[in-house]
Amino acid sequence: MLASQPGKKLDCYIADYVVFDLETTGCSAKSDAVVEISAVKVINGQIVDEFSTLVNPERPIPEQASYVNGITDDMVIDAPIFQVALREFLDFAGDMVLVGHNIHAFDMKFICRDALNFWGQTIGNDYIDTYQLSKVILPDLTCHQLGFLAEYFGFSSSGAHRALADCKMNQHVYEALGQELSKIPRCPKCENLLKKREGKFGPFLGCSAFPNCRYTRDL
Ligand SMILES: [Zn+2]
């Protein structure tokens, strides 16, 4: 939804949300443009609706980008421009929490930038970045890339790098992260996650909100 203030980044599991993903002409949230936007709506952990459209970026798509996402100039000639596609996506998402992989550093920057250009407002939906969530929940994993996480949890990663397929894979990964999250103990004082730490007298559990919260518990 359009708003004057950006939404907050959350680190939690919720059962109702919209997963979204963009394919773009490149990696720069300053100068690149969207060529595809897809989303799935999830209620109670189940996909109930999906949205997907190619986007005409009104510029040539670089070969390297087409190589990654398989989207070429001739595929987007008749597609809507992003001002139209983004409006449709925002109607689809309403005020639901947005979920996506690496969206804090990437996708949110694109859609907030373009919403500001088109309508003078930003995107007010709160959002959850499964890339960042994965680093918190699975700190021992060396890779937190979406396809890697899908395989780690035993899901197929085929069809990766087209937006709708990535949304569906991301939805499975988020549900699995939610399961993992429910196993991590929480601080009885402030509800933040407890983390294993190494102290002078061996490992202990400490609040992840340290130094704001100093709760600790012996392992
Ligand atoms: Zn605490």
Side-chain angles (χ1 to χ4, degrees):
M1 64 190 168
L2 292 172
S4 56
Q5 295 293 324
K8 295 185 298 292
K9 182 168 79 72
L10 311 174
D11 284 317
C12 60
Y13 175 77
I14 48 160
D16 300 348
Y17 54 93
V18 167
V19 183
F20 84 105
D21 187 45
L22 306 176
E23 300 301 334
T24 62
T25 58
C27 296
S28 171
K30 281 204 176 77
S31 57
D32 280 303
V34 174
V35 296
E36 185 174 49
I37 180 167
S38 301
V40 293
K41 187 175 290 179
V42 179
I43 304 289
N44 225 350
Q46 302 293 325
I47 295 178
V48 295
D49 201 0
E50 58 185 59
F51 168 86
S52 189
T53 180
L54 287 166
V55 176
N56 185 333
E58 302 177 278
R59 68 174 83 174
I61 302 173
E63 246 175 68
Q64 316 87 279
S66 297
Y67 181 75
V68 173
N69 55 39
I71 299 169
T72 52
D73 290 327
D74 52 321
M75 291 165 69
V76 298
I77 280 178
D78 297 322
I81 59 170
F82 196 47
Q83 185 160 5
V84 173
L86 182 57
R87 179 75 263 174
E88 287 176 5
F89 166 72
L90 292 175
D91 289 345
F92 176 83
D95 62 358
M96 293 180 79
V97 172
L98 302 178
V99 171
H101 207 67
N102 201 27
I103 56 173
H104 179 67
F106 193 75
D107 310 64
M108 289 305 292
K109 287 205 159 65
F110 276 81
I111 63 174
C112 289
R113 174 200 70 186
D114 288 342
L116 193 63
N117 282 342
F118 299 148
W119 304 295
Q121 286 187 290
T122 189
I123 308 287
N125 302 63
D126 290 342
Y127 62 96
I128 294 165
D129 186 330
T130 50
Y131 175 71
Q132 298 202 349
L133 195 59
S134 166
K135 286 187 175 177
V136 173
I137 296 174
L138 304 166
D140 296 335
L141 280 191
T142 51
C143 176
H144 296 271
Q145 188 253 337
L146 184 60
F148 182 89
L149 291 175
E151 283 173 24
Y152 172 79
F153 287 121
F155 308 123
S156 160
S157 62
S158 64
H161 291 304
R162 278 302 294 272
L164 189 61
D166 280 358
C167 285
K168 290 176 179 173
M169 186 165 40
N170 204 162
Q171 194 264 334
H172 287 305
V173 165
Y174 180 54
E175 289 294 328
L177 287 171
Q179 291 286 320
E180 293 297 317
L181 191 59
S182 67
K183 296 177 201 159
I184 303 177
R186 285 183 181 270
C187 174
K189 282 169 87 177
C190 73
E191 285 289 301
N192 277 294
L193 297 174
L194 293 180
K195 268 192 189 163
K196 193 175 158 193
R197 295 182 190 281
E198 290 298 328
K200 241 190 302 186
F201 306 105
F204 66 96
L205 285 178
C207 182
S208 57
F210 181 86
N212 293 325
C213 174
R214 292 173 174 273
Y215 177 83
T216 60
R217 179 200 296 169
D218 289 337
L219 264 176

Short mmCIF file of all heavy atoms in Angstrom, two decimals, residues 133-175:
data_model
loop_
_atom_site.label_atom_id
_atom_site.label_comp_id
_atom_site.label_asym_id
_atom_site.label_seq_id
_atom_site.Cartn_x
_atom_site.Cartn_y
_atom_site.Cartn_z
N LEU A 133 16.33 -13.41 7.82
CA LEU A 133 15.75 -14.31 8.82
C LEU A 133 16.53 -15.62 8.90
O LEU A 133 16.80 -16.15 9.98
CB LEU A 133 14.29 -14.57 8.45
CG LEU A 133 13.38 -15.18 9.51
CD1 LEU A 133 13.31 -14.30 10.75
CD2 LEU A 133 11.98 -15.39 8.94
N SER A 134 16.93 -16.11 7.72
CA SER A 134 17.69 -17.36 7.66
C SER A 134 19.03 -17.23 8.39
O SER A 134 19.47 -18.16 9.07
CB SER A 134 17.90 -17.73 6.19
OG SER A 134 18.88 -18.72 6.08
N LYS A 135 19.67 -16.06 8.26
CA LYS A 135 20.95 -15.85 8.95
C LYS A 135 20.78 -15.88 10.46
O LYS A 135 21.67 -16.33 11.18
CB LYS A 135 21.56 -14.52 8.52
CG LYS A 135 22.13 -14.53 7.13
CD LYS A 135 22.83 -13.21 6.93
CE LYS A 135 23.55 -13.12 5.62
NZ LYS A 135 24.15 -11.78 5.46
N VAL A 136 19.62 -15.40 10.94
CA VAL A 136 19.35 -15.40 12.38
C VAL A 136 19.03 -16.82 12.86
O VAL A 136 19.53 -17.28 13.89
CB VAL A 136 18.17 -14.46 12.71
CG1 VAL A 136 17.77 -14.59 14.18
CG2 VAL A 136 18.52 -13.02 12.37
N ILE A 137 18.18 -17.51 12.07
CA ILE A 137 17.66 -18.81 12.52
C ILE A 137 18.67 -19.93 12.30
O ILE A 137 18.75 -20.88 13.09
CB ILE A 137 16.34 -19.13 11.77
CG1 ILE A 137 15.28 -18.10 12.17
CG2 ILE A 137 15.85 -20.53 12.08
CD1 ILE A 137 14.00 -18.22 11.39
N LEU A 138 19.45 -19.84 11.20
CA LEU A 138 20.41 -20.89 10.86
C LEU A 138 21.82 -20.29 10.74
O LEU A 138 22.42 -20.30 9.67
CB LEU A 138 20.02 -21.55 9.52
CG LEU A 138 18.61 -22.15 9.47
CD1 LEU A 138 18.22 -22.46 8.03
CD2 LEU A 138 18.52 -23.40 10.33
N PRO A 139 22.36 -19.77 11.86
CA PRO A 139 23.64 -19.05 11.79
C PRO A 139 24.81 -19.93 11.35
O PRO A 139 25.83 -19.41 10.91
CB PRO A 139 23.84 -18.54 13.23
CG PRO A 139 23.01 -19.44 14.08
CD PRO A 139 21.84 -19.86 13.24
N ASP A 140 24.66 -21.25 11.47
CA ASP A 140 25.78 -22.12 11.11
C ASP A 140 25.85 -22.43 9.61
O ASP A 140 26.83 -22.98 9.13
CB ASP A 140 25.71 -23.44 11.90
CG ASP A 140 25.87 -23.18 13.40
OD1 ASP A 140 26.48 -22.15 13.76
OD2 ASP A 140 25.36 -23.98 14.20
N LEU A 141 24.79 -22.10 8.86
CA LEU A 141 24.84 -22.35 7.41
C LEU A 141 25.81 -21.37 6.76
O LEU A 141 25.82 -20.19 7.10
CB LEU A 141 23.46 -22.16 6.79
CG LEU A 141 22.43 -23.26 6.90
CD1 LEU A 141 21.25 -22.96 5.98
CD2 LEU A 141 23.01 -24.61 6.55
N THR A 142 26.58 -21.86 5.78
CA THR A 142 27.55 -20.98 5.13
C THR A 142 26.91 -20.23 3.96
O THR A 142 27.44 -19.23 3.49
CB THR A 142 28.74 -21.79 4.59
OG1 THR A 142 28.22 -22.87 3.81
CG2 THR A 142 29.57 -22.33 5.73
N CYS A 143 25.77 -20.72 3.45
CA CYS A 143 25.11 -20.09 2.31
C CYS A 143 23.63 -19.89 2.64
O CYS A 143 23.00 -20.78 3.20
CB CYS A 143 25.27 -20.97 1.08
SG CYS A 143 24.41 -20.35 -0.38
N HIS A 144 23.11 -18.70 2.32
CA HIS A 144 21.70 -18.42 2.60
C HIS A 144 20.95 -18.04 1.34
O HIS A 144 19.93 -17.38 1.37
CB HIS A 144 21.58 -17.32 3.65
CG HIS A 144 22.16 -17.71 4.98
ND1 HIS A 144 21.43 -18.32 5.96
CD2 HIS A 144 23.42 -17.64 5.44
CE1 HIS A 144 22.22 -18.58 6.99
NE2 HIS A 144 23.43 -18.17 6.71
N GLN A 145 21.51 -18.46 0.18
CA GLN A 145 20.89 -18.20 -1.10
C GLN A 145 19.60 -19.04 -1.18
O GLN A 145 19.52 -20.13 -0.60
CB GLN A 145 21.92 -18.59 -2.18
CG GLN A 145 21.57 -18.23 -3.59
CD GLN A 145 21.21 -19.45 -4.39
OE1 GLN A 145 21.60 -20.57 -4.07
NE2 GLN A 145 20.43 -19.23 -5.43
N LEU A 146 18.57 -18.53 -1.89
CA LEU A 146 17.25 -19.16 -1.87
C LEU A 146 17.27 -20.63 -2.34
O LEU A 146 16.71 -21.50 -1.69
CB LEU A 146 16.26 -18.35 -2.71
CG LEU A 146 14.81 -18.85 -2.71
CD1 LEU A 146 14.23 -18.85 -1.30
CD2 LEU A 146 13.95 -18.00 -3.64
N GLY A 147 17.95 -20.89 -3.47
CA GLY A 147 17.99 -22.25 -3.99
C GLY A 147 18.68 -23.21 -3.03
O GLY A 147 18.27 -24.36 -2.87
N PHE A 148 19.71 -22.69 -2.38
CA PHE A 148 20.43 -23.50 -1.39
C PHE A 148 19.52 -23.85 -0.21
O PHE A 148 19.47 -25.00 0.24
CB PHE A 148 21.67 -22.74 -0.91
CG PHE A 148 22.51 -23.51 0.06
CD1 PHE A 148 23.52 -24.36 -0.38
CD2 PHE A 148 22.29 -23.39 1.43
CE1 PHE A 148 24.29 -25.09 0.52
CE2 PHE A 148 23.06 -24.11 2.34
CZ PHE A 148 24.06 -24.95 1.89
N LEU A 149 18.79 -22.85 0.30
CA LEU A 149 17.88 -23.08 1.43
C LEU A 149 16.78 -24.07 1.03
O LEU A 149 16.41 -24.94 1.83
CB LEU A 149 17.25 -21.77 1.89
CG LEU A 149 18.19 -20.78 2.56
CD1 LEU A 149 17.45 -19.47 2.87
CD2 LEU A 149 18.78 -21.36 3.85
N ALA A 150 16.27 -23.94 -0.20
CA ALA A 150 15.22 -24.85 -0.67
C ALA A 150 15.73 -26.29 -0.60
O ALA A 150 15.06 -27.18 -0.08
CB ALA A 150 14.80 -24.49 -2.09
N GLU A 151 16.96 -26.50 -1.10
CA GLU A 151 17.52 -27.85 -1.06
C GLU A 151 17.82 -28.31 0.36
O GLU A 151 17.60 -29.47 0.70
CB GLU A 151 18.75 -27.93 -1.97
CG GLU A 151 18.33 -28.01 -3.42
CD GLU A 151 19.49 -27.93 -4.39
OE1 GLU A 151 20.62 -28.26 -3.99
OE2 GLU A 151 19.24 -27.54 -5.54
N TYR A 152 18.29 -27.37 1.18
CA TYR A 152 18.56 -27.69 2.59
C TYR A 152 17.31 -28.22 3.27
O TYR A 152 17.34 -29.18 4.05
CB TYR A 152 19.07 -26.43 3.30
CG TYR A 152 19.22 -26.56 4.80
CD1 TYR A 152 20.32 -27.20 5.35
CD2 TYR A 152 18.25 -26.04 5.65
CE1 TYR A 152 20.45 -27.33 6.73
CE2 TYR A 152 18.38 -26.17 7.03
CZ TYR A 152 19.48 -26.82 7.56
OH TYR A 152 19.61 -26.94 8.91
N PHE A 153 16.16 -27.62 2.95
CA PHE A 153 14.90 -28.05 3.56
C PHE A 153 14.22 -29.18 2.77
O PHE A 153 13.14 -29.63 3.12
CB PHE A 153 13.93 -26.88 3.68
CG PHE A 153 14.29 -25.89 4.76
CD1 PHE A 153 14.53 -24.56 4.46
CD2 PHE A 153 14.39 -26.29 6.09
CE1 PHE A 153 14.86 -23.64 5.46
CE2 PHE A 153 14.72 -25.39 7.09
CZ PHE A 153 14.95 -24.07 6.78
N GLY A 154 14.87 -29.61 1.66
CA GLY A 154 14.34 -30.73 0.90
C GLY A 154 13.28 -30.39 -0.14
O GLY A 154 12.49 -31.24 -0.54
N PHE A 155 13.26 -29.12 -0.61
CA PHE A 155 12.33 -28.74 -1.69
C PHE A 155 13.07 -28.66 -3.01
O PHE A 155 14.26 -28.41 -3.04
CB PHE A 155 11.69 -27.36 -1.42
CG PHE A 155 11.07 -27.24 -0.06
CD1 PHE A 155 11.46 -26.24 0.81
CD2 PHE A 155 10.09 -28.13 0.34
CE1 PHE A 155 10.89 -26.12 2.07
CE2 PHE A 155 9.50 -28.02 1.58
CZ PHE A 155 9.91 -27.01 2.46
N SER A 156 12.32 -28.80 -4.09
CA SER A 156 12.92 -28.66 -5.42
C SER A 156 13.26 -27.20 -5.68
O SER A 156 12.52 -26.30 -5.30
CB SER A 156 11.92 -29.14 -6.47
OG SER A 156 12.26 -28.61 -7.72
N SER A 157 14.40 -26.95 -6.34
CA SER A 157 14.73 -25.57 -6.72
C SER A 157 14.68 -25.41 -8.24
O SER A 157 15.26 -24.50 -8.80
CB SER A 157 16.11 -25.17 -6.18
OG SER A 157 17.10 -26.00 -6.73
N SER A 158 13.95 -26.29 -8.92
CA SER A 158 13.86 -26.18 -10.39
C SER A 158 12.98 -24.98 -10.76
O SER A 158 12.09 -24.59 -10.01
CB SER A 158 13.29 -27.46 -10.99
OG SER A 158 11.97 -27.64 -10.55
N GLY A 159 13.25 -24.41 -11.92
CA GLY A 159 12.50 -23.23 -12.36
C GLY A 159 12.97 -21.95 -11.70
O GLY A 159 12.34 -20.91 -11.84
N ALA A 160 14.10 -22.03 -10.98
CA ALA A 160 14.59 -20.85 -10.27
C ALA A 160 14.92 -19.72 -11.24
O ALA A 160 15.27 -19.96 -12.39
CB ALA A 160 15.83 -21.23 -9.46
N HIS A 161 14.81 -18.50 -10.75
CA HIS A 161 15.13 -17.26 -11.46
C HIS A 161 14.05 -16.78 -12.40
O HIS A 161 14.27 -15.82 -13.12
CB HIS A 161 16.50 -17.33 -12.16
CG HIS A 161 17.63 -17.36 -11.18
ND1 HIS A 161 17.80 -16.38 -10.22
CD2 HIS A 161 18.60 -18.26 -10.96
CE1 HIS A 161 18.84 -16.68 -9.48
NE2 HIS A 161 19.34 -17.83 -9.90
N ARG A 162 12.86 -17.42 -12.43
CA ARG A 162 11.70 -16.70 -12.92
C ARG A 162 10.91 -16.36 -11.67
O ARG A 162 10.86 -17.14 -10.71
CB ARG A 162 10.89 -17.55 -13.91
CG ARG A 162 11.44 -17.54 -15.33
CD ARG A 162 11.56 -16.14 -15.96
NE ARG A 162 10.26 -15.52 -16.19
CZ ARG A 162 9.54 -15.69 -17.30
NH1 ARG A 162 9.98 -16.44 -18.27
NH2 ARG A 162 8.38 -15.08 -17.43
N ALA A 163 10.29 -15.19 -11.68
CA ALA A 163 9.78 -14.62 -10.44
C ALA A 163 8.71 -15.48 -9.75
O ALA A 163 8.77 -15.66 -8.53
CB ALA A 163 9.24 -13.21 -10.70
N LEU A 164 7.76 -16.01 -10.50
CA LEU A 164 6.68 -16.75 -9.83
C LEU A 164 7.20 -18.06 -9.22
O LEU A 164 6.82 -18.42 -8.11
CB LEU A 164 5.52 -17.03 -10.80
CG LEU A 164 4.26 -17.61 -10.15
CD1 LEU A 164 3.67 -16.65 -9.11
CD2 LEU A 164 3.19 -17.94 -11.19
N ALA A 165 8.10 -18.74 -9.93
CA ALA A 165 8.70 -19.97 -9.39
C ALA A 165 9.49 -19.66 -8.13
O ALA A 165 9.44 -20.41 -7.14
CB ALA A 165 9.60 -20.62 -10.44
N ASP A 166 10.21 -18.54 -8.14
CA ASP A 166 10.98 -18.15 -6.96
C ASP A 166 10.05 -17.82 -5.78
O ASP A 166 10.37 -18.13 -4.64
CB ASP A 166 11.88 -16.94 -7.27
CG ASP A 166 13.17 -17.35 -7.99
OD1 ASP A 166 13.36 -18.57 -8.20
OD2 ASP A 166 13.96 -16.47 -8.34
N CYS A 167 8.91 -17.20 -6.07
CA CYS A 167 7.94 -16.88 -4.99
C CYS A 167 7.47 -18.17 -4.32
O CYS A 167 7.36 -18.23 -3.09
CB CYS A 167 6.72 -16.16 -5.55
SG CYS A 167 7.00 -14.46 -5.98
N LYS A 168 7.16 -19.18 -5.13
CA LYS A 168 6.63 -20.43 -4.57
C LYS A 168 7.71 -21.15 -3.75
O LYS A 168 7.43 -21.69 -2.67
CB LYS A 168 6.08 -21.32 -5.69
CG LYS A 168 4.80 -20.73 -6.27
CD LYS A 168 4.27 -21.53 -7.46
CE LYS A 168 2.97 -20.87 -7.97
NZ LYS A 168 2.50 -21.49 -9.20
N MET A 169 8.94 -21.14 -4.27
CA MET A 169 10.05 -21.74 -3.53
C MET A 169 10.27 -20.96 -2.23
O MET A 169 10.46 -21.54 -1.16
CB MET A 169 11.31 -21.69 -4.41
CG MET A 169 12.48 -22.40 -3.82
SD MET A 169 13.80 -22.71 -5.00
CE MET A 169 13.93 -21.29 -5.99
N ASN A 170 10.21 -19.64 -2.32
CA ASN A 170 10.40 -18.77 -1.16
C ASN A 170 9.32 -19.02 -0.11
O ASN A 170 9.59 -18.99 1.10
CB ASN A 170 10.35 -17.30 -1.65
CG ASN A 170 11.07 -16.33 -0.73
OD1 ASN A 170 11.38 -15.22 -1.14
ND2 ASN A 170 11.34 -16.71 0.51
N GLN A 171 8.09 -19.30 -0.57
CA GLN A 171 6.99 -19.55 0.36
C GLN A 171 7.27 -20.82 1.18
O GLN A 171 7.10 -20.84 2.40
CB GLN A 171 5.68 -19.67 -0.42
CG GLN A 171 4.43 -19.59 0.46
CD GLN A 171 3.88 -20.94 0.86
OE1 GLN A 171 4.08 -21.92 0.15
NE2 GLN A 171 3.18 -20.99 1.98
N HIS A 172 7.74 -21.88 0.49
CA HIS A 172 8.10 -23.12 1.20
C HIS A 172 9.21 -22.86 2.21
O HIS A 172 9.18 -23.36 3.34
CB HIS A 172 8.60 -24.18 0.20
CG HIS A 172 7.50 -24.78 -0.63
ND1 HIS A 172 6.39 -25.37 -0.08
CD2 HIS A 172 7.36 -24.90 -1.97
CE1 HIS A 172 5.61 -25.82 -1.05
NE2 HIS A 172 6.17 -25.55 -2.21
N VAL A 173 10.22 -22.09 1.77
CA VAL A 173 11.37 -21.81 2.65
C VAL A 173 10.92 -21.01 3.86
O VAL A 173 11.35 -21.29 5.00
CB VAL A 173 12.48 -21.07 1.86
CG1 VAL A 173 13.51 -20.45 2.80
CG2 VAL A 173 13.16 -22.03 0.88
N TYR A 174 10.02 -20.03 3.67
CA TYR A 174 9.55 -19.22 4.80
C TYR A 174 8.79 -20.08 5.81
O TYR A 174 8.97 -19.94 7.02
CB TYR A 174 8.70 -18.05 4.30
CG TYR A 174 8.18 -17.17 5.42
CD1 TYR A 174 9.06 -16.60 6.34
CD2 TYR A 174 6.82 -16.91 5.56
CE1 TYR A 174 8.59 -15.80 7.38
CE2 TYR A 174 6.35 -16.10 6.59
CZ TYR A 174 7.24 -15.56 7.50
OH TYR A 174 6.78 -14.77 8.52
N GLU A 175 7.95 -20.98 5.30
CA GLU A 175 7.21 -21.87 6.21
C GLU A 175 8.19 -22.74 7.00
O GLU A 175 8.01 -22.97 8.20
CB GLU A 175 6.22 -22.75 5.41
CG GLU A 175 5.03 -21.98 4.84
CD GLU A 175 4.09 -21.42 5.91
OE1 GLU A 175 3.95 -22.05 6.99
OE2 GLU A 175 3.51 -20.34 5.69
#
